[in-house]
Amino acid sequence: MPTKARATATTGPARAREDIISPQALSSLSAGAVSAMSAVGAAVLKRHKHAMDKKPEWFWHIFAKCEAKAARIAEQAARAPQACGDAAFIETYARSLPKLMTAALKAHEKGLRTN
């Protein structure tokens, strides 16, 4: 169940880098949740391949931040009283990651146009 993920991700050295999902946090998720996260991540990468090809290092950094934020949002949703654990986690993650990544890319493009 994803409830352990956030607690694990905020201990030790991971506290300084909350823009990545720690291996300990991933290991606390069910196999289905990790598989769904992989599928959603692959779809987002495929959709934004042009941006990844332009600036790969920057893109992977932003992708990791969006991925971690989507996981935190999904974990909060999974802990809600009416939630169904992993199902709520997967649904919220699948909804959040594409939106976060699109917003980050649009903000970056807007910043480039204003400079």
Side-chain angles (χ1 to χ4, degrees):
M1 184 167 217
T3 56
K4 296 181 191 174
R6 183 73 174 142
T8 306
T10 57
T11 60
R15 185 175 294 148
R17 293 271 331 244
E18 285 200 13
D19 62 331
I20 58 172
I21 300 175
S22 70
Q24 297 87 2
L26 279 176
S27 68
S28 68
L29 297 172
S30 72
V34 173
S35 177
M37 288 173 70
S38 297
V40 171
V44 169
L45 293 174
K46 186 175 181 180
R47 181 176 181 180
H48 298 294
K49 186 169 178 8
H50 65 283
M52 182 172 54
D53 291 341
K54 285 182 185 176
K55 294 183 175 182
E57 188 173 312
W58 174 85
F59 180 86
W60 286 109
H61 171 73
I62 293 301
F63 181 77
K65 289 180 82 160
C66 291
E67 191 176 43
K69 186 171 184 175
R72 287 192 299 272
I73 293 168
E75 183 195 342
Q76 289 174 352
R79 278 198 249 139
Q82 306 294 326
C84 296
D86 282 350
F89 181 88
I90 293 166
E91 180 182 355
T92 306
Y93 183 83
R95 201 175 335 116
S96 301
L97 182 60
K99 287 180 184 177
L100 290 169
M101 196 64 196
T102 300
L105 291 173
K106 283 183 181 179
H108 179 69
E109 287 178 20
K110 184 179 178 183
L112 290 176
R113 279 187 259 137
T114 60
N115 289 336

